[in-house]
Coordinates of all heavy atoms in Angstrom, one line a residue:
M24 N 8.6 -13.0 -3.9 CA 9.4 -11.9 -4.5 C 9.0 -10.7 -3.7 O 7.8 -10.4 -3.4 CB 8.8 -11.9 -5.9 CG 9.5 -10.8 -6.8 SD 9.1 -11.2 -8.6 CE 10.0 -9.8 -9.3
L25 N 10.0 -9.8 -3.5 CA 9.7 -8.6 -2.7 C 9.6 -7.4 -3.7 O 10.4 -7.3 -4.6 CB 11.0 -8.4 -1.7 CG 11.2 -9.5 -0.6 CD1 12.4 -9.1 0.1 CD2 10.0 -9.5 0.2
F26 N 8.8 -6.5 -3.2 CA 8.5 -5.3 -4.0 C 8.5 -4.1 -3.0 O 7.9 -4.3 -2.0 CB 7.2 -5.3 -4.7 CG 7.1 -6.2 -5.9 CD1 6.7 -7.5 -5.7 CD2 7.5 -5.8 -7.1 CE1 6.6 -8.4 -6.8 CE2 7.4 -6.7 -8.2 CZ 7.0 -8.0 -8.1
H27 N 9.2 -3.1 -3.3 CA 9.1 -1.8 -2.6 C 8.0 -1.0 -3.3 O 7.9 -0.9 -4.5 CB 10.4 -1.1 -2.8 CG 10.5 0.2 -2.3 ND1 9.9 1.5 -3.0 CD2 11.0 0.9 -1.2 CE1 10.1 2.5 -2.2 NE2 10.8 2.2 -1.2
V28 N 7.0 -0.7 -2.5 CA 5.9 0.2 -3.1 C 5.7 1.4 -2.2 O 5.6 1.4 -1.1 CB 4.6 -0.8 -2.8 CG1 3.3 -0.1 -3.5 CG2 4.7 -2.0 -3.6
A29 N 5.6 2.4 -3.1 CA 5.5 3.8 -2.5 C 4.1 4.3 -2.9 O 3.6 4.3 -4.1 CB 6.5 4.9 -3.0
M30 N 3.3 4.6 -1.9 CA 1.8 5.0 -2.2 C 1.6 6.4 -1.7 O 2.0 6.7 -0.6 CB 0.8 4.1 -1.4 CG 0.9 2.5 -1.7 SD -0.2 1.7 -0.8 CE 0.6 0.1 -0.6
E31 N 1.0 7.3 -2.6 CA 0.6 8.6 -2.1 C -0.9 8.6 -2.2 O -1.5 8.3 -3.3 CB 1.3 9.6 -3.1 CG 1.0 11.1 -2.6 CD 2.2 11.8 -2.2 OE1 3.4 11.4 -2.6 OE2 2.0 12.6 -1.4
V32 N -1.6 9.2 -1.2 CA -3.1 9.3 -1.2 C -3.5 10.7 -1.5 O -3.0 11.6 -0.9 CB -3.5 8.8 0.0 CG1 -5.0 8.8 0.1 CG2 -3.0 7.5 0.6
N33 N -4.4 10.8 -2.5 CA -4.8 12.1 -2.8 C -6.4 12.1 -2.9 O -7.0 11.9 -4.0 CB -4.4 12.5 -4.3 CG -2.9 12.3 -4.5 OD1 -2.2 13.3 -3.8 ND2 -2.4 11.4 -5.2
L34 N -7.0 12.2 -1.6 CA -8.4 12.2 -1.5 C -8.9 13.7 -2.0 O -8.3 14.6 -1.6 CB -8.8 11.9 -0.2 CG -8.9 10.5 0.4 CD1 -9.3 10.4 1.8 CD2 -9.7 9.5 -0.4
P35 N -10.1 13.6 -2.7 CA -10.5 14.9 -3.2 C -10.8 15.7 -2.0 O -11.5 15.3 -1.0 CB -11.9 14.6 -4.0 CG -11.7 13.1 -4.2 CD -10.9 12.4 -3.2
P36 N -10.5 17.0 -1.9 CA -10.7 17.7 -0.8 C -12.2 17.9 -0.5 O -12.6 18.3 0.6 CB -10.1 19.3 -1.1 CG -9.3 19.1 -2.4 CD -9.7 17.7 -2.9
D37 N -13.0 17.9 -1.5 CA -14.6 18.1 -1.3 C -15.3 16.7 -1.0 O -16.4 16.7 -0.8 CB -15.1 18.7 -2.5 CG -14.9 17.9 -3.7 OD1 -14.2 16.9 -3.8 OD2 -15.7 18.4 -4.7
M38 N -14.4 15.7 -0.7 CA -15.1 14.3 -0.4 C -15.7 14.5 1.0 O -14.9 15.0 2.0 CB -14.2 13.2 -0.4 CG -14.7 11.9 0.0 SD -13.5 10.5 0.1 CE -13.6 10.2 -1.7
P39 N -17.0 14.1 1.2 CA -17.6 14.2 2.6 C -16.8 13.5 3.6 O -16.3 12.3 3.2 CB -18.9 13.7 2.4 CG -19.3 13.8 1.0 CD -17.9 13.6 0.2
K40 N -16.7 14.0 4.8 CA -15.9 13.3 5.9 C -16.3 11.9 6.0 O -15.6 11.0 6.2 CB -15.9 14.1 7.1 CG -15.0 13.7 8.2 CD -15.1 14.4 9.6 CE -14.2 13.9 10.6 NZ -14.3 12.5 10.9
A41 N -17.6 11.7 6.1 CA -18.2 10.3 6.4 C -17.7 9.3 5.4 O -17.4 8.2 5.6 CB -19.6 10.4 6.5
E42 N -17.7 9.7 4.0 CA -17.3 8.9 3.0 C -15.6 8.6 3.1 O -15.2 7.4 3.0 CB -17.5 9.5 1.6 CG -17.3 8.6 0.4 CD -17.5 9.3 -0.9 OE1 -18.3 10.4 -0.9 OE2 -17.1 8.9 -1.9
A43 N -14.8 9.7 3.4 CA -13.5 9.5 3.6 C -13.1 8.5 4.8 O -12.3 7.7 4.7 CB -12.8 10.9 3.8
D44 N -13.9 8.7 5.9 CA -13.7 7.9 7.0 C -14.1 6.4 6.8 O -13.4 5.5 7.2 CB -14.5 8.3 8.2 CG -14.1 9.6 8.8 OD1 -13.0 10.1 8.5 OD2 -14.8 10.3 9.6
D45 N -15.1 6.2 6.0 CA -15.4 4.8 5.7 C -14.3 4.2 4.8 O -14.0 3.0 4.9 CB -16.9 4.9 4.8 CG -17.2 3.5 4.3 OD1 -17.5 2.7 5.2 OD2 -17.3 3.2 3.1
I46 N -13.9 4.9 3.7 CA -12.8 4.4 2.8 C -11.6 4.1 3.6 O -10.9 3.0 3.5 CB -12.4 5.3 1.6 CG1 -13.8 5.5 0.7 CG2 -11.3 4.8 0.8 CD1 -13.5 6.5 -0.4
K47 N -11.1 4.9 4.5 CA -10.1 4.7 5.4 C -10.3 3.5 6.2 O -9.2 2.7 6.6 CB -9.7 5.9 6.2 CG -9.2 7.1 5.4 CD -9.1 8.4 6.2 CE -8.8 9.5 5.4 NZ -8.8 10.9 6.3
A48 N -11.5 3.2 6.9 CA -11.6 2.1 7.7 C -11.5 0.9 6.8 O -11.0 -0.1 7.4 CB -13.0 2.2 8.5
R49 N -12.1 0.9 5.7 CA -12.1 -0.3 4.8 C -10.6 -0.6 4.4 O -10.1 -1.7 4.2 CB -13.1 -0.1 3.6 CG -14.4 -0.3 4.1 CD -15.5 -0.4 2.9 NE -15.6 0.9 2.3 CZ -15.2 1.2 1.0 NH1 -14.6 0.2 0.3 NH2 -15.4 2.3 0.4
E50 N -9.9 0.5 4.1 CA -8.6 0.4 3.8 C -7.7 -0.3 4.8 O -6.9 -1.2 4.6 CB -7.9 1.8 3.5 CG -6.4 1.8 3.1 CD -6.2 1.6 1.6 OE1 -7.2 1.5 0.8 OE2 -5.0 1.4 1.2
K51 N -8.0 0.2 6.1 CA -7.2 -0.4 7.2 C -7.5 -1.9 7.4 O -6.6 -2.8 7.6 CB -7.6 0.3 8.5 CG -6.8 0.0 9.8 CD -7.2 0.9 11.0 CE -6.3 0.6 12.2 NZ -6.5 1.6 13.2
A52 N -8.7 -2.2 7.3 CA -9.1 -3.7 7.4 C -8.5 -4.5 6.4 O -8.1 -5.7 6.6 CB -10.6 -3.8 7.4
Y53 N -8.6 -4.0 5.1 CA -8.0 -4.7 4.0 C -6.4 -5.0 4.2 O -5.8 -6.1 4.0 CB -8.3 -4.0 2.7 CG -7.8 -4.6 1.4 CD1 -8.6 -5.4 0.6 CD2 -6.5 -4.4 0.9 CE1 -8.2 -6.0 -0.6 CE2 -6.0 -4.8 -0.3 CZ -6.8 -5.6 -1.0 OH -6.4 -6.1 -2.2
A54 N -5.8 -3.8 4.5 CA -4.3 -3.9 4.8 C -4.0 -4.8 5.8 O -3.0 -5.5 5.6 CB -3.7 -2.5 4.9
Q55 N -4.5 -4.6 7.0 CA -4.3 -5.6 8.2 C -4.5 -7.0 7.9 O -3.8 -7.9 8.4 CB -4.9 -5.0 9.4 CG -4.4 -3.7 9.8 CD -4.9 -3.3 11.2 OE1 -6.0 -3.6 11.5 NE2 -4.2 -2.3 11.8
A56 N -5.5 -7.3 7.1 CA -5.7 -8.8 6.7 C -4.6 -9.3 5.9 O -4.1 -10.4 6.1 CB -7.0 -8.9 5.9
L57 N -4.0 -8.4 5.0 CA -2.9 -8.9 4.2 C -1.7 -9.0 5.0 O -0.9 -9.8 4.8 CB -2.6 -7.8 3.0 CG -3.7 -8.0 1.9 CD1 -3.3 -6.9 0.9 CD2 -3.6 -9.5 1.3
M58 N -1.5 -8.1 6.0 CA -0.3 -8.0 6.9 C -0.3 -9.3 7.7 O 0.8 -10.1 8.0 CB -0.4 -6.9 7.9 CG -0.1 -5.6 7.1 SD -0.3 -4.1 8.2 CE -0.5 -2.9 7.0
R59 N -1.5 -9.9 8.1 CA -1.6 -11.0 9.0 C -1.2 -12.3 8.0 O -0.7 -13.3 8.6 CB -3.0 -11.2 9.5 CG -3.3 -10.3 10.6 CD -4.7 -10.6 11.3 NE -5.0 -9.4 12.2 CZ -5.7 -8.4 11.9 NH1 -6.4 -8.5 10.6 NH2 -5.9 -7.4 12.7
T60 N -1.4 -12.2 6.8 CA -0.9 -13.3 5.9 C 0.5 -13.4 5.5 O 1.1 -14.3 5.1 CB -1.7 -13.3 4.5 OG1 -1.1 -12.2 3.8 CG2 -3.2 -13.2 4.6
G61 N 1.3 -12.2 5.9 CA 2.6 -12.0 5.6 C 3.0 -11.5 4.2 O 4.1 -11.4 4.0
K62 N 1.9 -11.2 3.5 CA 2.1 -10.6 2.2 C 2.4 -9.1 2.3 O 2.9 -8.6 1.2 CB 1.0 -10.8 1.3 CG 0.7 -12.3 0.9 CD -0.5 -12.6 0.1 CE -0.8 -14.0 -0.2 NZ 0.2 -14.6 -1.0
W63 N 2.2 -8.4 3.4 CA 2.5 -7.0 3.5 C 3.3 -6.8 4.8 O 2.8 -6.4 5.7 CB 1.1 -6.3 3.5 CG 1.3 -4.8 3.2 CD1 2.3 -3.9 3.5 CD2 0.1 -3.9 2.9 NE1 2.0 -2.7 3.3 CE2 0.7 -2.5 2.9 CE3 -1.1 -4.0 2.5 CZ2 0.0 -1.5 2.6 CZ3 -1.8 -3.0 2.1 CH2 -1.3 -1.8 2.1
P64 N 4.5 -7.3 4.7 CA 5.3 -7.2 6.0 C 5.7 -6.0 6.6 O 6.0 -5.8 7.8 CB 6.5 -8.1 5.6 CG 6.8 -8.0 4.3 CD 5.3 -7.9 3.6
H65 N 5.8 -4.9 5.7 CA 6.1 -3.5 6.3 C 5.3 -2.4 5.6 O 5.1 -2.4 4.4 CB 7.7 -3.2 5.8 CG 8.6 -4.1 6.5 ND1 9.2 -3.8 7.8 CD2 9.3 -5.3 6.1 CE1 10.1 -4.8 8.1 NE2 10.2 -5.6 7.0
I66 N 5.0 -1.4 6.5 CA 4.3 -0.2 6.2 C 4.8 0.9 6.9 O 4.9 0.7 8.2 CB 2.8 -0.3 6.1 CG1 2.2 1.1 5.6 CG2 2.3 -0.7 7.5 CD1 0.7 1.0 5.3
W67 N 5.3 1.9 6.4 CA 5.8 3.0 7.1 C 5.2 4.4 6.6 O 5.0 4.5 5.5 CB 7.3 3.2 7.0 CG 8.1 2.0 7.5 CD1 8.4 0.8 6.9 CD2 8.4 1.8 8.9 NE1 9.0 -0.1 7.7 CE2 9.1 0.5 9.0 CE3 8.3 2.7 10.1 CZ2 9.6 0.0 10.2 CZ3 8.8 2.1 11.3 CH2 9.5 0.9 11.3
R68 N 4.8 5.3 7.6 CA 4.4 6.6 7.1 C 5.5 7.3 6.6 O 6.6 7.3 7.2 CB 3.7 7.2 8.3 CG 3.2 8.6 8.2 CD 2.2 8.7 7.0 NE 0.8 8.3 7.5 CZ 0.0 7.6 6.5 NH1 0.3 7.3 5.4 NH2 -1.2 7.3 6.9
V69 N 5.3 8.1 5.5 CA 6.3 9.0 5.1 C 6.1 10.3 5.8 O 5.0 10.8 5.8 CB 6.2 9.3 3.6 CG1 7.3 10.3 3.2 CG2 6.4 7.9 2.7
A70 N 7.0 10.6 6.7 CA 6.8 11.9 7.6 C 6.4 13.1 6.8 O 7.0 13.4 5.7 CB 8.0 12.1 8.4
G71 N 5.4 13.7 7.2 CA 4.9 15.0 6.7 C 4.1 14.9 5.5 O 3.7 15.9 4.8
R72 N 3.7 13.7 5.0 CA 2.9 13.4 3.8 C 1.9 12.4 4.0 O 2.1 11.5 5.0 CB 3.8 13.1 2.6 CG 4.7 14.2 2.1 CD 5.8 13.8 1.1 NE 5.4 12.7 0.2 CZ 6.2 12.0 -0.5 NH1 7.4 12.1 -0.2 NH2 5.8 11.0 -1.2
Y73 N 0.8 12.5 3.3 CA -0.2 11.4 3.4 C 0.2 10.3 2.4 O -0.3 10.2 1.3 CB -1.6 11.8 3.0 CG -2.7 11.0 3.3 CD1 -2.6 9.8 3.7 CD2 -4.1 11.3 3.0 CE1 -3.7 8.9 4.1 CE2 -5.1 10.5 3.2 CZ -4.9 9.2 3.7 OH -5.8 8.3 4.0
A74 N 1.3 9.5 2.7 CA 1.9 8.7 1.9 C 2.5 7.5 2.7 O 2.8 7.7 3.9 CB 3.0 9.4 1.0
N75 N 2.8 6.4 2.1 CA 3.5 5.3 2.9 C 4.5 4.7 2.0 O 4.4 4.8 0.8 CB 2.4 4.3 3.5 CG 1.9 3.5 2.5 OD1 2.6 2.6 1.9 ND2 0.6 3.6 2.1
I76 N 5.4 4.1 2.6 CA 6.5 3.1 2.0 C 6.1 1.7 2.6 O 6.1 1.5 3.8 CB 7.9 3.6 2.3 CG1 8.1 4.9 1.7 CG2 8.9 2.6 1.7 CD1 8.3 5.1 0.3
S77 N 5.9 0.8 1.5 CA 5.6 -0.5 2.0 C 6.5 -1.6 1.4 O 7.0 -1.3 0.2 CB 4.1 -0.9 1.6 OG 3.3 0.0 2.5
V78 N 6.6 -2.7 1.9 CA 7.2 -3.9 1.2 C 6.2 -5.0 1.1 O 5.6 -5.3 2.2 CB 8.4 -4.3 2.0 CG1 9.1 -5.7 1.5 CG2 9.5 -3.2 2.1
F79 N 6.0 -5.5 0.0 CA 5.2 -6.6 -0.3 C 6.0 -7.9 -0.5 O 7.0 -7.8 -1.3 CB 4.2 -6.3 -1.4 CG 3.0 -5.5 -1.0 CD1 3.2 -4.1 -0.9 CD2 1.8 -6.0 -0.9 CE1 2.2 -3.2 -0.6 CE2 0.7 -5.1 -0.5 CZ 0.9 -3.8 -0.3
D80 N 5.5 -9.0 -0.1 CA 6.2 -10.3 -0.4 C 5.1 -11.2 -1.1 O 4.3 -11.9 -0.2 CB 6.7 -10.9 1.0 CG 7.5 -12.1 0.8 OD1 7.6 -12.6 -0.3 OD2 8.0 -12.6 1.8
V81 N 5.2 -11.2 -2.3 CA 4.2 -11.9 -3.0 C 4.9 -12.7 -4.2 O 6.1 -12.7 -4.3 CB 3.2 -11.0 -3.7 CG1 2.4 -10.2 -2.6 CG2 4.0 -9.9 -4.6
A82 N 4.1 -13.6 -4.8 CA 4.6 -14.4 -5.8 C 5.2 -13.8 -7.1 O 6.3 -14.0 -7.5 CB 3.5 -15.5 -6.3
D83 N 4.5 -12.8 -7.5 CA 4.9 -12.0 -8.7 C 4.1 -10.8 -8.9 O 3.4 -10.4 -8.0 CB 4.7 -13.0 -10.0 CG 3.3 -13.6 -10.0 OD1 2.4 -12.8 -9.5 OD2 3.0 -14.5 -10.6
A84 N 4.5 -10.1 -10.0 CA 3.9 -8.7 -10.2 C 2.4 -8.9 -10.4 O 1.6 -7.9 -10.0 CB 4.6 -8.1 -11.4
D85 N 1.9 -10.0 -11.0 CA 0.4 -10.1 -11.2 C -0.3 -10.2 -9.9 O -1.3 -9.5 -9.7 CB 0.2 -11.4 -12.0 CG 0.6 -11.3 -13.4 OD1 0.6 -10.2 -13.9 OD2 1.0 -12.3 -14.0
E86 N 0.3 -10.9 -8.9 CA -0.3 -11.0 -7.5 C -0.2 -9.6 -6.8 O -1.3 -9.1 -6.3 CB 0.2 -12.0 -6.6 CG -0.4 -12.0 -5.2 CD 0.2 -13.1 -4.3 OE1 1.3 -13.5 -4.6 OE2 -0.4 -13.4 -3.3
L87 N 0.9 -8.9 -7.0 CA 1.0 -7.6 -6.4 C -0.1 -6.6 -7.0 O -0.8 -5.9 -6.3 CB 2.4 -7.0 -6.7 CG 2.6 -5.6 -6.1 CD1 2.6 -5.6 -4.6 CD2 3.9 -5.0 -6.6
H88 N -0.2 -6.6 -8.3 CA -1.2 -5.7 -8.9 C -2.6 -6.1 -8.4 O -3.4 -5.2 -8.3 CB -1.1 -5.8 -10.4 CG -2.1 -4.9 -11.2 ND1 -1.9 -3.5 -11.2 CD2 -3.3 -5.1 -11.7 CE1 -2.8 -3.0 -11.8 NE2 -3.8 -3.9 -12.1
A89 N -2.9 -7.4 -8.3 CA -4.2 -7.7 -7.9 C -4.5 -7.2 -6.4 O -5.7 -6.7 -6.2 CB -4.5 -9.3 -7.9
L90 N -3.5 -7.4 -5.6 CA -3.7 -6.9 -4.2 C -3.8 -5.3 -4.2 O -4.7 -4.8 -3.5 CB -2.5 -7.2 -3.4 CG -2.4 -8.8 -3.2 CD1 -1.1 -9.1 -2.3 CD2 -3.6 -9.4 -2.7
L91 N -2.9 -4.6 -4.9 CA -2.9 -3.2 -4.9 C -4.2 -2.6 -5.5 O -4.9 -1.7 -5.0 CB -1.8 -2.6 -5.7 CG -0.4 -2.9 -5.1 CD1 0.7 -2.3 -5.9 CD2 -0.3 -2.3 -3.6
S92 N -4.7 -3.2 -6.7 CA -5.9 -2.6 -7.3 C -7.2 -3.0 -6.3 O -8.3 -2.4 -6.7 CB -6.1 -3.2 -8.7 OG -6.1 -4.7 -8.6
G93 N -7.0 -3.9 -5.4 CA -8.2 -4.1 -4.5 C -8.3 -3.2 -3.2 O -9.2 -3.2 -2.5
L94 N -7.1 -2.4 -3.2 CA -7.1 -1.4 -2.1 C -8.4 -0.5 -2.2 O -8.5 0.2 -3.3 CB -5.8 -0.6 -2.0 CG -4.6 -1.3 -1.6 CD1 -3.4 -0.4 -2.0 CD2 -4.6 -1.5 -0.1
P95 N -9.1 -0.2 -1.2 CA -10.3 0.8 -1.2 C -9.8 2.2 -1.7 O -10.6 2.9 -2.3 CB -10.9 0.7 0.2 CG -10.6 -0.6 0.7 CD -9.2 -1.0 0.2
L96 N -8.6 2.5 -1.3 CA -8.0 3.9 -1.6 C -7.4 3.8 -3.1 O -7.0 4.8 -3.5 CB -7.1 4.4 -0.7 CG -7.6 4.9 0.8 CD1 -6.5 5.2 1.7 CD2 -8.4 6.2 0.5
F97 N -7.4 2.7 -3.6 CA -6.7 2.6 -5.0 C -7.0 3.7 -5.9 O -6.1 4.2 -6.6 CB -6.9 1.2 -5.6 CG -6.1 1.0 -6.9 CD1 -4.8 0.7 -6.8 CD2 -6.8 1.0 -8.1 CE1 -4.1 0.4 -8.1 CE2 -6.1 0.8 -9.3 CZ -4.7 0.6 -9.4
P98 N -8.3 4.0 -6.1 CA -8.6 5.0 -7.1 C -8.1 6.5 -6.7 O -8.1 7.4 -7.7 CB -10.2 5.1 -7.1 CG -10.6 3.9 -6.3 CD -9.5 3.4 -5.6
Y99 N -7.6 6.5 -5.5 CA -7.2 8.0 -5.1 C -5.7 8.0 -4.8 O -5.1 8.8 -4.1 CB -7.9 8.3 -3.8 CG -9.4 8.3 -3.9 CD1 -10.2 7.1 -3.4 CD2 -10.1 9.2 -4.6 CE1 -11.4 7.1 -3.6 CE2 -11.4 9.2 -4.9 CZ -12.1 8.1 -4.3 OH -13.5 8.1 -4.4
M100 N -5.0 6.9 -5.3 CA -3.5 6.8 -5.0 C -2.7 6.9 -6.2 O -3.0 6.4 -7.3 CB -3.2 5.4 -4.4 CG -3.5 5.1 -3.0 SD -3.2 3.5 -2.5 CE -3.3 3.7 -0.7
D101 N -1.5 7.4 -6.0 CA -0.4 7.3 -7.1 C 0.5 6.3 -6.4 O 1.0 6.4 -5.3 CB 0.3 8.7 -7.2 CG -0.5 9.7 -8.0 OD1 -1.3 9.3 -8.8 OD2 -0.4 10.9 -7.5
I102 N 0.9 5.3 -7.2 CA 1.6 4.1 -6.7 C 2.8 4.0 -7.5 O 2.7 3.9 -8.8 CB 0.8 2.9 -6.6 CG1 -0.5 3.0 -5.7 CG2 1.6 1.7 -6.0 CD1 -1.3 1.8 -5.6
E103 N 4.0 3.8 -6.9 CA 5.3 3.5 -7.7 C 5.8 2.2 -7.2 O 6.0 2.0 -5.9 CB 6.2 4.6 -7.4 CG 6.0 5.8 -8.2 CD 7.1 6.9 -8.1 OE1 8.2 6.6 -7.7 OE2 6.8 8.0 -8.3
V104 N 6.1 1.2 -8.0 CA 6.5 -0.1 -7.6 C 8.0 -0.3 -8.1 O 8.2 0.0 -9.1 CB 5.5 -1.2 -8.1 CG1 6.1 -2.6 -7.9 CG2 4.1 -1.1 -7.7
T105 N 8.7 -1.0 -7.2 CA 10.1 -1.2 -7.4 C 10.4 -2.7 -7.1 O 10.2 -3.0 -6.0 CB 11.2 -0.4 -6.7 OG1 10.9 1.0 -6.9 CG2 12.5 -0.6 -7.2
A106 N 10.7 -3.5 -8.1 CA 11.1 -5.0 -7.8 C 12.4 -5.0 -7.1 O 13.3 -4.3 -7.4 CB 11.0 -5.7 -9.1
L107 N 12.5 -5.7 -6.1 CA 13.7 -5.9 -5.3 C 14.3 -7.3 -5.6 O 13.7 -8.4 -5.6 CB 13.5 -5.8 -3.9 CG 12.8 -4.5 -3.4 CD1 12.6 -4.6 -1.9 CD2 13.7 -3.3 -3.7
A108 N 15.7 -7.2 -5.9 CA 16.5 -8.4 -6.1 C 17.5 -8.5 -4.9 O 17.8 -7.5 -4.3 CB 17.2 -8.4 -7.4
R109 N 18.0 -9.7 -4.7 CA 19.0 -9.9 -3.7 C 20.3 -9.1 -3.9 O 20.8 -9.3 -5.0 CB 19.2 -11.3 -3.4 CG 20.1 -11.7 -2.3 CD 20.3 -13.2 -2.0 NE 21.2 -13.5 -1.0 CZ 21.1 -13.1 0.3 NH1 20.0 -12.7 0.8 NH2 22.1 -13.4 1.1
H110 N 20.7 -8.4 -2.9 CA 22.1 -7.7 -3.2 C 23.2 -8.6 -3.1 O 23.1 -9.4 -2.1 CB 22.2 -6.4 -2.2 CG 23.3 -5.6 -2.6 ND1 24.6 -5.9 -2.4 CD2 23.3 -4.4 -3.2 CE1 25.4 -4.9 -2.8 NE2 24.5 -3.9 -3.4
P111 N 24.2 -8.7 -3.9 CA 25.3 -9.7 -3.8 C 26.1 -9.4 -2.5 O 26.8 -10.5 -2.0 CB 26.1 -9.3 -4.9 CG 25.8 -8.0 -5.4 CD 24.3 -7.7 -5.1
S112 N 26.1 -8.3 -1.7 CA 26.7 -8.3 -0.5 C 25.9 -8.5 0.7 O 26.4 -8.5 1.8 CB 27.2 -6.7 -0.4 OG 28.1 -6.4 -1.4
A113 N 24.6 -8.8 0.5 CA 23.7 -9.2 1.5 C 24.2 -10.4 2.2 O 24.7 -11.5 1.6 CB 22.3 -9.3 1.0
I114 N 24.0 -10.5 3.6 CA 24.5 -11.7 4.4 C 23.4 -12.3 5.1 O 22.2 -11.5 5.2 CB 25.7 -11.5 5.3 CG1 25.3 -10.4 6.3 CG2 27.0 -11.1 4.5 CD1 26.5 -10.2 7.4
Ligands
LIG213 O1 -2.6 5.9 5.0 C1 -2.0 5.4 4.1 O2 -0.9 5.5 3.8 C2 -2.9 4.5 3.1 C3 -2.9 3.1 3.6 C4 -2.5 1.9 3.1 C5 -2.8 0.9 4.0 C6 -3.5 1.6 5.0 O3 -4.0 1.0 6.0 O4 -3.5 2.9 4.8

C-alpha cells in the first residue's frame, strides 16, 4: 500500500548544534536502512523549506505509523499522510 507522506521538521532554535547533528545523523541512517528494504522508495526535498515529500510502500497504516514514529526526528516533525489508491486512468 502506497502512502504520500509530507514531513516538516521544526527543530528548536536553541537546540545545541551537537545534539541536532546527532539526531540528523541517526535520522539519515534510519531512513537509508528503510530505503534499502524498499519501504521508503522516494524522498524529495521541498525546495526552500526544511521539509520533504516521501512515498512509503508498506502493508498498511499501522506499519506506516510504526515506521514514522521510530524516526529520530519524529518528536520535531509535523507529518501529513495521504493514502494512495490506483488511478483508473493509470497504465
Ligand atoms: O531532512 C529531512 O527532510 C528529514 C529527514 C527524513 C529522512 C531523512 O534522512 O531526513
Side-chain angles (χ1 to χ4, degrees):
M24 190 171 176
L25 296 176
F26 291 90
H27 172 283
V28 180
M30 306 180 206
E31 182 109 32
V32 184
N33 303 293
L34 284 178
D37 60 348
M38 177 180 280
K40 182 178 182 313
E42 188 180 344
D44 287 348
D45 176 64
I46 296 176
K47 289 176 192 176
R49 288 188 287 115
E50 179 85 5
K51 184 173 184 175
Y53 180 95
Q55 290 186 337
L57 286 176
M58 290 171 198
R59 287 188 191 96
T60 70
K62 290 181 185 289
W63 192 338
H65 292 277
I66 183 169
W67 295 93
R68 176 62 77 218
V69 179
R72 288 171 34 204
Y73 190 5
N75 74 72
I76 298 290
S77 291
V78 173
F79 282 76
D80 187 355
V81 292
D83 53 29
D85 290 328
E86 182 181 13
L87 180 67
H88 183 74
L90 296 181
L91 293 177
S92 58
L94 288 166
L96 283 171
F97 182 76
Y99 307 103
M100 282 178 165
D101 291 322
I102 301 178
E103 287 183 19
V104 173
T105 306
L107 301 177
R109 184 170 173 77
H110 194 285
S112 301
I114 55 173

